Amino acid sequence: MNTPRYPTPSGWKRSSGSVRWSWPPSSAGCSRAASSHRCGCSGTPPGRDRLEQAFATQRQFIDDAGHELRTPLTIVLGHLELIDTDPADRQDTVALVTDELHRMNRIVKDMLTLTHAGHPDFLHPADVDLCELVEEVYVKASALAPHHWILEAPQSPELVTVHADRHRLTQALVQLAQNAAQHTPPHAPIRIGWRVRRGTAELWVRDSGPGVPPEEENRIFDRFARATRTRRTAGAGLGLAIVKAIAEAHHGRVTLRNNPGRGAAFTLLIPLAPGRAARNAVLSEAR
């Protein structure tokens, strides 16, 4: 039976004796520049960029997991191998191992959050009352540590909303509040607030701790970035990376205003929905 003949798509070549097509094109195949393709072919097979991005995300997750989970796994295995028959020693070992397992669980959850940040279902946006959102975060943050928590908000009865994912914004602000609590002396002030300016919602957390070392400002939002001197934390260094991912998923960004020795201010800048940006901007500028 003869193999049916099919026209060869531009830029593809036919495998001998089959109807499969191979990629990439050889020099004998599609030699035209992508801009000259009459068919509009860009020189890349359909879906290839998306597939490569998926593989890159998977590789990043595996690299992150291997990098960050190696230490707690070594601790757990080391203590289990040396566990004693003494009841008191066994109890201490179980407590230590349990703590390390909880830490690994948090690390994996954080890495999964970062991995999913580029997915379409990462956000579930709806109209969010900014005043209500920040007040809820303020109440939650007040239970984190014995600091002087201060709520800063415009003195206006007008309802101001942003089209965003309430859960993700709360997650980002609570993360910033937790960082502030870790780096601020007991009973010192930490400010949580919001305003709208020029069509953008500004949500901030300002601490009164040591600030961020100047040499670390450019990498503070990177994965696994930890301050080496004045801002130490027991976390995996993923918190601010998650905050950045949440802001960028909303087509916004997060900024740092640093004052070494006196504190740091982290601000989420989230664009308002187009339909209400102008009205809310006028309300904000009038305050």
Side-chain angles (χ1 to χ4, degrees):
M1 179 177 179
N2 294 330
T3 303
R5 300 183 61 83
Y6 296 92
T8 303
S10 178
W12 297 76
K13 64 180 181 179
R14 182 176 176 180
S15 299
S16 177
S18 71
V19 293
R20 296 190 300 253
W21 307 104
S22 60
W23 185 272
S26 65
S27 58
C30 180
S31 59
R32 293 172 296 171
S35 60
S36 67
H37 289 184
R38 294 178 181 177
C39 62
C41 175
S42 63
T44 302
R48 182 175 177 180
D49 289 342
R50 185 169 53 188
L51 185 61
E52 288 180 348
Q53 179 61 39
F55 281 130
T57 301
Q58 185 181 53
R59 285 194 300 269
Q60 180 70 56
F61 180 84
I62 293 173
D63 290 345
D64 289 348
H67 173 274
E68 196 62 24
L69 297 179
R70 184 181 298 113
T71 298
L73 282 173
T74 301
I75 293 173
V76 169
L77 290 174
H79 280 82
L80 289 179
E81 289 173 355
L82 300 175
I83 193 169
D84 202 337
T85 57
D86 179 70
D89 181 74
R90 290 175 64 89
Q91 184 176 359
D92 291 342
T93 300
V94 169
L96 184 145
V97 168
T98 301
D99 183 69
E100 286 299 306
L101 291 175
H102 283 312
R103 185 161 74 93
M104 289 195 309
N105 185 49
R106 290 194 299 271
I107 292 171
V108 171
K109 285 183 178 180
D110 287 347
M111 289 192 298
L112 286 173
T113 297
L114 288 172
T115 301
H116 293 157
H119 293 188
D121 61 348
F122 180 66
L123 298 181
H124 299 281
D127 287 345
V128 178
D129 183 337
L130 284 176
C131 183
E132 185 179 276
L133 170 72
V134 176
E135 285 182 357
E136 288 180 358
V137 171
Y138 166 77
V139 172
K140 293 177 180 179
S142 300
L144 293 174
H147 295 297
H148 181 202
W149 297 91
I150 301 172
L151 177 63
E152 299 179 329
Q155 299 298 319
S156 172
E158 294 287 347
L159 174 66
V160 181
T161 62
V162 61
H163 195 67
D165 187 314
R166 185 186 194 92
H167 167 72
R168 293 300 184 187
L169 289 184
T170 299
Q171 180 182 7
L173 288 172
V174 169
Q175 178 64 59
L176 292 177
Q178 185 174 6
N179 284 3
Q182 291 175 346
H183 302 128
T184 301
H187 309 294
I190 299 176
R191 293 172 168 81
I192 299 176
W194 71 276
R195 69 177 177 181
V196 175
R197 185 170 61 169
R198 299 184 180 92
T200 300
E202 300 181 4
L203 316 171
W204 64 78
V205 176
R206 300 171 181 164
D207 66 48
S208 52
V212 177
E215 66 273 16
E216 296 174 358
E217 289 185 23
N218 292 333
R219 59 181 293 270
I220 195 69
F221 295 105
D222 294 345
R223 294 186 182 199
F224 302 109
R226 298 186 185 89
T228 57
R229 290 196 289 112
T230 55
R231 292 180 75 91
R232 293 188 178 274
T233 176
L238 290 170
L240 291 178
I242 291 175
V243 172
K244 178 183 177 183
I246 291 173
E248 292 179 347
H250 286 89
H251 305 289
R253 59 194 177 97
V254 57
T255 64
L256 164 64
R257 191 177 68 189
N258 189 33
N259 192 352
R262 301 183 62 181
F266 292 87
T267 303
L268 290 172
L269 302 174
I270 308 297
L272 299 177
R276 53 182 64 85
R279 180 179 63 84
N280 285 343
V282 171
L283 291 173
S284 176
E285 294 296 336
R287 290 167 185 156

